[in-house]
Every structure is written in C-alpha cells, then in structure tokens.
Amino acid sequence: MESNPTDVCYESDHTAESEFNVINYFNDDDSNLFFHRVDSDQIIYQPRQKKAKLFGQYIMGDILGEGSYGKVKECLDSKTLCRRAVKILKKKKLRKIPNGEANVKREIGLLRHLNHQNVIRLYDVLHNEEKQKMYLVVEYCVGGLQDMLDYAPGKKFPIWQAHDYFHQLLRGLEYLHSQSIVHKDIKPGNLLIATNEVVKITDLGVAEVLDIYMTSDICRTSQGSPAFQPPEIANGDEEFSGFKVDIWSSGVTLYNFTTGKYPFEGDNIFRLFENIASGEYTIPNELDSSLAELLRHLLEYNPANRPTIKEIREYSWMRRKHPQNTERVPSPPANDMLDAHHRMSVLPYLEDLHRVESTDDGPSDDDKTSKHHQLAPPSPSVAKKQAVQKSKKSTCRQS
Amino acid sequence: MTFTDQVQPNAGDFNLLACIGQGCYNSATISLARHIPNKKLLAIKRVHLEVCELDFTSVVHEIVMHQQLRHKNILESYCAFVHGNEIWLTLPLMGYGSCRDLLHAHFMTGIPELTIAFILREVLNGLDYLHKWNIIHRSVQASHILISANGEVCLSGLRHCCSMIVNGVIRPKIHDFPSQYVHSLQWASPELLEQNLSGYNTKSDIYSVGITACELANGVVPFADMPLTQMLLEKVEGTIPRLLDSPTHTNITSIDDGISDGSSQMSGHRRSTHESIYYEMPASVRVLRNFSNSFHNFVKTCLQHAANRPSAEQLMQHNYFKQIRKRSCQYMLPELLRPVAPIMESTIIPDERISIGGPVESLIPKFQWVDIDEWNFGSDTSKQSAQLREMFPAERTYSMMNQQDSIPETSTAKTPTESTQTLQKAFNSPDTSPKSRKATPKSSRKAAPKGLPELKKSSESSDGPNWVE
C-alpha cells in the first residue's frame, strides 16, 4: 500500500491522468499549493490518485489537525463503516515533550475505561513498532469549539448555543468527576463537536485520577493551559481541590463562549498569573444579569465558594430556555473552506483501494491487458448473455 | 380479556418447543413455545446476557420500542422478563418466519412480484406509522419483515430504530450512526453511511425499502458481492441498484460495451459490479424474469436522492400497488407463498416431542401440501411440472418456468411475472369494466381460506389469470 505513486497502472490512457501522477508526487506530503494550479474540472480526478493506506482494519483519510505529538487524521473502520479519527503519535516526537510518553500512557489508560456521550470514546489502540508510531482510534468529530469560536462573528456563540454546549460540558465533567478523574485542562480547545452537535471532552493527557481510597480531591500538580487556571494554581499553592479547578476552568470557558474574551489576560504567563492571582476581572455589561451572576460564582476566588456541578444546574440561567433568535454558529468548513458538510475524506482513498485491488490480479508487466480485464465483464458471462438474448428473440419469433 | 393480557411474565407458563431462529447477531435465540395456560403457540426471543457482546441498552431499547408501538404492521410483544441469565421477550408466532427465511428456503432466485407488492405495501404502512411518530426504523431488510401463518406482515428489528426527537425538539435531520450496525449496512441509505453534517431523516428508510425490494425480487441483496467499503463507495457515488430481469439485462450488455473500449469510464459511467450476481443465476431464470415497469419505477423512486424520495404514505399510492388494490394480504399471502408451509398449530401436533433447539426443517415435512401449482392455470402443464418438481425439488421454480417457455402462447399457463404483466396491461386498458374488477377480488377472498382448488375453478371460469386481480 505504501508503494511509489508512479507504479499505478494508469500511464497509458489519458494525458490528464499522467499529469496528475506528477502532481501526486507532491500531493503525498499534503502540500495544498498544487491544488490552486489546476482547473476546477480537473480537481475531480485528483482524488483518484490518492493512495489508500491501511492500518489494522482502518483506512486512512485526510488530516483533521496537527499537534505537537503528531497528526490527527480521519479514518474509516472497514468492518463497521464507522467514521473515526485517529491520533497518530510518533514516539520520537513524544520523547521530546516533557512527560509526553507518560501523559499518553495515562490518557490511554483512562479513556479505555470511560464511556459517556460527552467524553471522547477511545475505540482502538494500534502500534507500529517499525515506524515507531502509535495509533489511537477515537470518535470522529467535525471540529473543536475553539475553531468554531475563531470562525464565529465576534468570536463568541449565541447565548442559546453557549447554553447548550455548557450544559453538555457539565454532563461530561460530572461523569469524569464521578469516575474520580480531574480533567485539569477544560477549555474550548479541548472540547470537540460531533456531527450530531454533541460536545466531547477530549485530551485527558494532563488529567489526574484520584486514589479511590482518598476522601478528598486534593491535587498537587497542574499542567493545564495558563489562561484557564484558577488563582490557587496561579499563586502556586502546594495543594488544591481538583474538582474546583475544573469548575473554574468551565467558568472561564463559559465566559469565553458568551463574550468572546477571556476574564484574565496577560502578555506573558507571569503577567497572566499575576492577573489571575489578583482575582480582578470584569464582566461585560451587555451580559444578562443571571449569566453574570453564574459567571461570578464560577470564577469565585475562594475554591470553597465555587458551586458544585449540581449547584450550577440550579442557577436560573442554566434552567432557563434561551430563545434561538440567532443563527447557529457552524463548524468551519473542512478542506480549505470548500466542504461545509465535512464529507468523508476517505472516499478517494477507497476508490484507489478498490481499483488497485482489481488490477492486482492482472499481469503487472502488461498494463493494457490487465486494465481490459478489469473493465470488461468476465467474458463467459457476455457469451451467456448474448446466447440468452438470442434465445429470447427466437422464442419471441416462435410465438 | 385478550390474549395479550393473558401472557404473564412467568417463565413457567411457557413450554419451549424448538429453536426457530436466531436474532441480534446470534446472541439471541428465537424459540417456538407454547403458552401453557391457554395452549397457544408463540415465539420467545431469548437474549443471553452473559454470552452476548451486545450493548445492553440496545436490548432494552428494543423491548421498550416493541411495547410502546402499537400498529398492525409492527411486531408487538406480549411481555418481557428476565429468566435466569436470559431476557425473554414473548412475541406472537410469525409462522412463515422472515422474508429472508423465505428467500433462503424456497425462493432462492427471488419472490414473485405480486407477492412482493403485498409484502411491501404492509411494510410501508408500518413505516408510515413509525415516521408519523418521528421514528426512523433504520434497518428495514428482508430479515426484519415477518409474515404470520395467516399472512399478516410485521416489521421487527426495532433495535436500531431511533427517534428524531432530541431533547424534546423534532430535528429535521439526525446524524447518529447506529452501533452494531454491521448486518444492516447493505440496506442503509447513502446519506446515513456518509456520516457527515447533512445528516439523514425518515427518508433513509425509504431507501432501505428500495434495497429490500431488490433483495426480495433478485433473491440477493444488492452489493452483497463486494467488500463493505466498496459498497459505501458505490452508494455515495450514486450507483443505483435495480431489479434484475431480462430487459435490464439487455441494458447491462450495452453499458459493458461502452466501458470496455475505455471511453466512458472517465465520464463517470460506472459498471454496476454489484449486478455480477445476476450472471450466476440459471439462464432460464434470467430470461423469463420480467418485472413490470411500475415495479422498476417503484424501486427507482425509492432509491433516488433523499430530497426527491417520496414519503411512505406517498409511496403506498404508487402505481406498483395498483395491481393488488385494496385486497388484504391476510388471505392472499398464504396462497401466494405456497408451497411454503408456515409453522402453526397444525404442523406440530399431536405430540410435542420436538427437542428444544431442534431445527425447523424437521417440522416442515410433517406438513402435507396438496397442490403446489398455484401459478399454473391450465391443467395440462400442472402434471408435467409436478413431475419435474419431483425430479428437481430444489430447482422447482426454474423448471416450471422452463416448462412454460416451450408452451405455445395459446396456452393459459403463465409464469408469475408474465401474469402480472398481463395484469398490468389489463389495468391500464380502459375497456376492463370496473364492475368485473370489483367482483373478482371478493370471490377470490372468499375462496382463499378454503384452499386452492376453489380458487382455480374461479380462474378457469373467467379467461386469463383473473384470480390474481
């Protein structure tokens, strides 16, 4: 499957195709530069040149995102036809990140045991020793809430949409906490959205599992994103309540959803932590007073005064039904803003897979005959058909 | 007090007689059972909770759906309870089993068009009910269409059905991809399989009806002869399966010719690889099979792009169903399905010494059918075909057709498909008086329960294959 793109048996027929063989050389490393050079009608042929790549029972699709650890690609489970995403981790890269390998191991261990609709599902873990790669097969998501915010006017969600997402975030968080897991890195960037508008909490790389015999949720370390850290971490406290960290981060997330801003900002991490530690922030006046009240409680300086998830649900803003008077902020279109529906990117690869499969059995030194074999129906059946037709005609005449 | 009320969730009330099927990807056993208090036969679906790799919630979902939905074309359940390590779901006995069973056992190369019309009309009726409740069935397929001994058609397989109402709001589209869906993928609509943001709705079921129609008529489900991934590709790229009969068969040849010179491949004209199955059928079946235009059109209509597909209600008005008009499937189906014998009271008496888990096949020979010649109206051919049938029991249907091929046209004998063709013509021609049309179904309905000889007589009295009208 990993073979050189030139040995596709498509050299013969069309000039357009051979041109694309050349392009495929470059396309293999996913540079999009060459897309702009071709006419739109030729683009149709471009996907045909994608080489199918398989790992385990999965067929690889296009890249969904890229992180410091490696790429995230779309893939398709060939047994169930379920659309999935795969996190490809390169062991080389992981070693360069502080705690990289340990975090991944912990994340896998955690995700394996989790099953909730608002927490990303891990379906499969595959290793490729040869390439020193690890594949984490997870639920397919259309995109992250951060991408949606970046794409949205004013970088914020309409109130009703923010309300829906926050509700789902709480549900996922409640589940994690019930499993004695402190996420420690709740932020829009770690919330994904599935095709059915379900929010999925992802990236449990820095999460902490509390000892089941422990009576409190005391944590000592945190590696989460600075802008979402509570004052107790900004102050450098030795010990702090883990669950209340997540509550604070959810508060910052909700603040961000509804205002498009962050309650605390800073040019660098020291300035930022200084601001957080001061506990001074403003809530924009245009926000509904009930929402402002909820935010103030979520961003309570003293962790003990922050509400629990149960209490959050009691707030009038949470209980209210918000009118859908504004358009939903959609996920930004995939594929260089061309595909608003986020179509399966695996299909062109499938085309390659099934086309190559059928040519494989033909003799490779004689492309033309193999192609003929592939396209023409098996000759005995043709003969049969013709015979059948003839006999049919003759019976008609008889009658 | 109805029978439904009498069935109590008490395992002691049931006497398990035989295993008559498997469900839920073999984690469930369907058993024939006798309800001891009132001696009636019923079916019990036993889901083994320890062996099964099933998602438990889906089992619960199925039971809940069976109990919430009330419609004559949706399989109801009497009650469900836990017994030992199993969940028992008591269901009415559907004597003919599923349409898949019929295809496996008797109609290897497909069910006759007229029979399918009766079946599909009921299926659409059931779907119409589900769709009006904003429920998508999502796994309409031959194995989920059950037929009772007296010809009632019910939809089962409610495990995959889902509601379009999410959080109290009716959604125009849903995006959920069912878990453990492997065995229904071939029937799934392209928009469901695509799993993108455009989502799908109740029209997805209509596509499945189209595929099921092909399955019933062709004897094999479209795309069965290729890997799932290729099926996905074909569906998304717009390959539309169709009924395979001699007219379409002529078309296939022409398409093949166009492709083999290599020119049409780029223009997007794909050879429908899924039709290769057709060539494997005996030539006799292929030549003689000729579905009506309205049936072809029905399938095409179902398999259109989602936006153009009609609703189940609209489809029930389709020309295809005009050949059966308002006649009830209740008396017609058992006649049309002959010689298949349903599992019913008469087939398992007098003693119930059938071991639990014994194959159904052992039941069938007990049933003595008198005449199997339901399609031959002329008496002259019946003897010959009966002889042939004895010689080639498995290829019964083909040999019958072969037989008729050699008969001059003046003979009244018709193959099933031919008879429906004539039927179609008869309906289209204006000179058929409505009076006579109305009269015939009545008489045939009366005649039906008494048995076939009666029916035959009525058909002989009026010329042509009138009894099917």
Side-chain angles (χ1 to χ4, degrees):
Chain A
M1 284 301 143
E2 299 273 316
S3 56
N4 193 327
T6 40
D7 61 34
V8 191
C9 46
Y10 264 75
E11 300 146 354
S12 48
D13 269 30
H14 296 270
T15 44
E17 271 187 276
S18 44
E19 263 174 50
F20 278 92
N21 272 335
V22 180
I23 283 162
N24 191 40
Y25 264 117
F26 304 97
N27 189 32
D28 249 12
D29 52 27
D30 296 288
S31 88
N32 288 329
L33 270 175
F34 284 82
F35 281 47
H36 303 296
R37 278 213 194 157
V38 294
D39 294 339
S40 56
D41 59 322
Q42 285 178 305
I43 286 175
I44 301 162
Y45 300 117
Q46 184 272 330
R48 290 180 149 262
Q49 299 301 312
K50 292 189 174 178
K51 293 291 287 178
K53 229 187 244 180
L54 282 140
F55 64 104
Q57 68 195 64
Y58 303 92
I59 298 146
M60 201 79 92
D62 284 349
I63 292 189
L64 295 172
E66 218 160 331
S68 48
Y69 42 83
K71 291 169 188 161
V72 178
K73 283 190 176 183
E74 187 188 331
C75 66
L76 182 80
D77 186 331
S78 64
K79 285 189 180 157
T80 62
L81 294 192
C82 233
R83 210 175 172 186
R84 302 264 187 247
V86 57
K87 224 172 168 176
I88 305 165
L89 304 168
K90 285 188 179 155
K91 286 185 184 166
K92 256 189 201 167
K93 280 190 181 172
L94 274 184
R95 285 192 200 108
K96 288 179 194 158
I97 306 165
N99 292 329
E101 277 181 288
N103 285 353
V104 166
K105 268 188 189 158
R106 185 171 48 210
E107 186 173 3
I108 293 172
L110 282 177
L111 285 177
R112 278 213 163 134
H113 295 105
L114 298 179
N115 180 8
H116 187 271
Q117 66 157 343
N118 295 117
V119 178
I120 195 97
R121 265 295 277 285
L122 175 71
Y123 289 98
D124 216 345
V125 181
L126 294 103
H127 295 269
N128 188 330
E129 292 302 329
E130 214 176 295
K131 289 196 209 163
Q132 288 286 296
K133 276 180 182 171
M134 203 147 96
Y135 302 93
L136 306 189
V137 181
V138 295
E139 268 173 288
Y140 172 79
C141 287
V142 176
L145 293 189
Q146 186 63 60
D147 305 328
M148 289 168 77
L149 285 167
D150 292 344
Y151 182 67
K155 301 211 165 197
K156 59 180 181 180
F157 291 127
I159 291 297
W160 64 271
Q161 199 173 354
H163 178 262
D164 175 26
Y165 292 163
F166 190 64
H167 243 299
Q168 298 195 49
L169 165 63
L170 287 185
R171 244 177 273 153
L173 206 54
E174 190 176 39
Y175 172 76
L176 287 179
H177 289 181
S178 77
Q179 304 290 311
S180 310
I181 294 168
V182 184
H183 186 280
K184 290 192 185 172
D185 199 11
I186 295 290
K187 58 173 179 178
N190 281 340
L191 300 174
L192 301 180
I193 191 109
T195 46
N196 52 357
E197 285 283 313
V198 172
V199 172
K200 310 274 179 185
I201 300 176
T202 175
D203 200 350
L204 278 81
V206 298
E208 182 171 334
V209 193
L210 302 169
D211 194 289
I212 46 164
Y213 298 110
M214 219 155 65
T215 47
S216 71
D217 58 337
I218 296 300
C219 295
R220 286 174 185 84
T221 54
S222 174
Q223 308 171 8
S225 315
F228 294 82
Q229 298 301 309
E232 58 268 28
I233 288 173
N235 279 332
D237 287 6
E238 286 280 304
E239 290 185 343
F240 47 84
S241 156
F243 293 152
K244 292 296 162 83
V245 172
D246 282 345
I247 300 289
W248 173 280
S249 312
S250 319
V252 180
T253 304
L254 181 61
Y255 189 102
N256 186 230
F257 280 172
T258 50
T259 64
K261 299 188 192 96
Y262 298 98
F264 305 98
E265 281 171 352
D267 302 334
N268 53 53
I269 188 166
F270 302 107
R271 192 66 55 77
L272 176 66
F273 272 2
E274 227 174 77
N275 287 340
I276 296 172
S278 76
E280 280 167 29
Y281 63 93
T282 49
I283 289 173
N285 288 330
E286 71 261 24
L287 281 195
D288 188 288
S289 64
S290 60
L291 175 57
E293 184 203 354
L294 172 61
L295 283 173
R296 260 193 295 275
H297 280 95
L298 291 169
L299 301 176
E300 188 77 52
Y301 194 87
N302 183 358
N305 293 340
R306 278 174 224 151
T308 62
I309 292 176
K310 228 179 176 180
E311 285 160 0
I312 295 171
R313 292 220 177 92
E314 297 300 317
Y315 281 82
S316 66
W317 186 79
M318 292 300 290
R319 295 165 64 104
R320 207 183 320 150
K321 190 177 191 297
H322 298 273
Q324 293 193 15
N325 44 16
T326 31
E327 209 59 10
R328 175 187 290 276
V329 169
S331 273
N335 207 351
D336 286 341
M337 302 293 157
L338 288 171
D339 180 11
H341 290 293
H342 290 258
R343 294 179 203 289
M344 261 188 198
S345 67
V346 180
L347 291 173
Y349 299 93
L350 284 183
E351 188 133 347
D352 171 72
L353 179 74
H354 292 294
R355 198 190 54 219
V356 170
E357 252 178 21
S358 45
T359 44
D360 267 351
D361 39 28
S364 55
D365 54 335
D366 195 347
D367 278 351
K368 266 208 162 167
T369 48
S370 73
K371 186 161 185 179
H372 184 77
H373 270 295
Q374 174 213 345
L375 294 170
S379 45
S381 69
V382 173
K384 246 189 229 169
K385 268 184 288 168
Q386 281 161 356
V388 160
Q389 271 182 307
K390 267 181 198 165
S391 68
K392 202 194 161 196
K393 272 178 195 163
S394 61
T395 48
C396 289
R397 257 179 243 128
Q398 271 176 16
S399 60
Chain B
M1 205 179 185
T2 62
F3 181 57
T4 318
D5 300 325
Q6 286 171 26
V7 180
Q8 294 299 316
N10 177 10
D13 284 356
F14 303 99
N15 189 9
L16 294 182
L17 302 177
C19 164
I20 52 171
Q22 302 258 295
C24 296
Y25 315 150
N26 298 336
S27 62
T29 314
I30 321 284
S31 297
L32 177 68
R34 189 174 291 286
H35 184 235
I36 299 164
N38 62 14
K39 300 185 176 57
K40 273 197 178 169
L41 286 175
L42 41 71
I44 296 179
K45 182 170 182 173
R46 296 183 296 150
V47 184
H48 203 289
L49 290 174
E50 279 175 23
V51 180
C52 78
E53 296 161 0
L54 273 180
D55 184 7
F56 181 70
T57 50
S58 75
V59 180
V60 175
H61 177 69
E62 182 181 7
I63 294 170
V64 170
M65 290 322 279
H66 270 299
Q67 302 199 325
Q68 280 185 347
L69 300 170
R70 277 282 167 272
H71 187 263
K72 69 182 174 79
N73 297 117
I74 307 289
L75 191 67
E76 63 166 339
S77 90
Y78 301 126
C79 64
F81 53 91
V82 177
H83 176 65
N85 291 338
E86 294 173 332
I87 290 183
W88 285 24
L89 181 62
T90 55
L91 303 161
L93 176 65
M94 302 302 275
Y96 283 102
S98 76
C99 287
R100 187 73 245 168
D101 297 336
L102 288 173
L103 287 172
H104 271 312
H106 302 274
F107 299 97
M108 253 80 83
T109 53
I111 297 173
E113 179 181 333
L114 184 68
T115 320
I116 298 175
F118 276 106
I119 294 169
L120 286 185
R121 190 181 57 180
E122 301 302 305
V123 168
L124 284 171
N125 202 13
L127 281 180
D128 182 41
Y129 167 80
L130 287 180
H131 293 174
K132 287 197 169 135
W133 283 97
N134 292 297
I135 293 167
I136 313 181
H137 186 283
R138 298 201 292 190
S139 53
V140 177
Q141 56 191 82
S143 60
H144 288 156
I145 302 170
L146 308 180
I147 302 175
S148 75
N150 49 12
E152 294 145 336
V153 180
C154 279
L155 266 173
S156 72
L158 299 178
R159 215 154 58 82
H160 291 304
C161 70
C162 78
S163 174
M164 302 265 291
I165 302 170
V166 184
N167 297 330
V169 182
I170 300 174
R171 297 284 160 101
K173 293 272 159 84
I174 61 162
H175 303 82
D176 175 54
F177 191 76
S179 59
Q180 296 186 314
Y181 199 52
V182 185
H183 296 267
S184 303
L185 287 170
Q186 254 113 13
W187 291 264
S189 66
E191 67 268 21
L192 191 159
L193 292 173
E194 277 183 289
Q195 300 162 73
N196 62 29
L197 284 181
S198 4
Y200 62 94
N201 57 15
T202 48
K203 296 287 174 68
S204 177
D205 280 345
I206 303 299
Y207 184 92
S208 307
V209 169
I211 296 284
T212 309
C214 290
E215 182 190 15
L216 295 174
N218 297 342
V220 64
V221 64
F223 309 111
D225 51 343
M226 60 176 72
L228 288 172
T229 46
Q230 195 179 351
M231 176 215 53
L232 169 73
L233 194 66
E234 297 260 352
K235 278 188 185 174
V236 173
E237 292 195 340
T239 305
I240 294 172
R242 52 188 171 174
L243 301 172
L244 303 171
D245 60 3
S246 36
T248 48
H249 170 247
T250 330
N251 294 340
I252 291 169
T253 325
S254 61
I255 291 169
D256 284 346
D257 291 344
I259 278 180
S260 48
D261 62 43
S263 59
S264 60
Q265 208 230 353
M266 281 298 135
S267 65
H269 210 142
R270 302 173 57 82
R271 186 168 78 94
S272 356
T273 39
H274 66 276
E275 286 171 4
S276 66
I277 203 95
Y278 182 69
Y279 304 120
E280 287 157 26
M281 288 180 192
S284 53
V285 180
R286 281 190 276 149
V287 180
L288 282 161
R289 196 149 74 179
N290 197 349
F291 297 112
S292 69
N293 283 338
S294 62
F295 193 20
H296 277 289
N297 182 270
F298 173 80
V299 170
K300 220 195 246 170
T301 313
C302 290
L303 298 178
Q304 288 179 96
H305 187 268
N308 303 328
R309 269 174 235 152
S311 68
E313 193 180 9
Q314 288 164 333
L315 263 180
M316 279 191 285
Q317 308 304 318
H318 192 275
N319 270 345
Y320 172 49
F321 297 112
K322 288 209 172 132
Q323 56 183 309
I324 54 172
R325 292 206 260 122
K326 293 214 167 120
R327 274 171 308 143
S328 148
C329 57
Q330 245 172 344
Y331 300 115
M332 293 307 292
L333 268 182
E335 288 304 327
L336 291 169
L337 288 175
R338 275 163 174 259
V340 185
I343 301 170
M344 53 196 285
E345 205 64 53
S346 55
T347 55
I348 59 161
I349 42 150
D351 55 346
E352 294 179 340
R353 274 181 298 172
I354 306 145
S355 63
I356 291 177
V360 207
E361 254 57 51
S362 64
L363 300 175
I364 305 299
K366 285 193 174 185
F367 188 73
Q368 301 290 314
W369 53 79
V370 199
D371 196 353
I372 348 154
D373 224 358
E374 77 277 30
W375 290 112
N376 286 355
F377 304 102
S379 51
D380 51 339
T381 54
S382 61
K383 271 181 202 164
Q384 284 170 306
S385 50
Q387 278 173 351
L388 270 167
R389 213 170 301 119
E390 275 171 31
M391 286 157 67
F392 312 102
E395 285 190 305
R396 185 170 52 234
T397 17
Y398 320 152
S399 45
M400 275 168 69
M401 286 170 165
N402 259 341
Q403 185 66 33
Q404 283 148 14
D405 194 23
S406 59
I407 296 161
E409 219 201 7
T410 43
S411 155
T412 46
K414 301 277 189 216
T415 61
T417 42
E418 271 172 341
S419 66
T420 44
Q421 280 266 304
T422 3
L423 239 170
Q424 210 59 42
K425 276 179 204 157
F427 279 126
N428 293 339
S429 63
D431 49 30
T432 355
S433 68
K435 209 178 173 186
S436 68
R437 261 197 267 167
K438 265 181 192 166
T440 30
K442 249 189 182 173
S443 65
S444 65
R445 205 179 293 173
K446 262 185 204 166
K450 286 182 192 167
L452 207 63
E454 187 77 22
L455 252 178
K456 252 189 177 171
K457 220 184 267 171
S458 69
S459 70
E460 272 164 5
S461 58
S462 53
D463 4 352
N466 275 1
W467 73 273
V468 254
E469 257 187 26

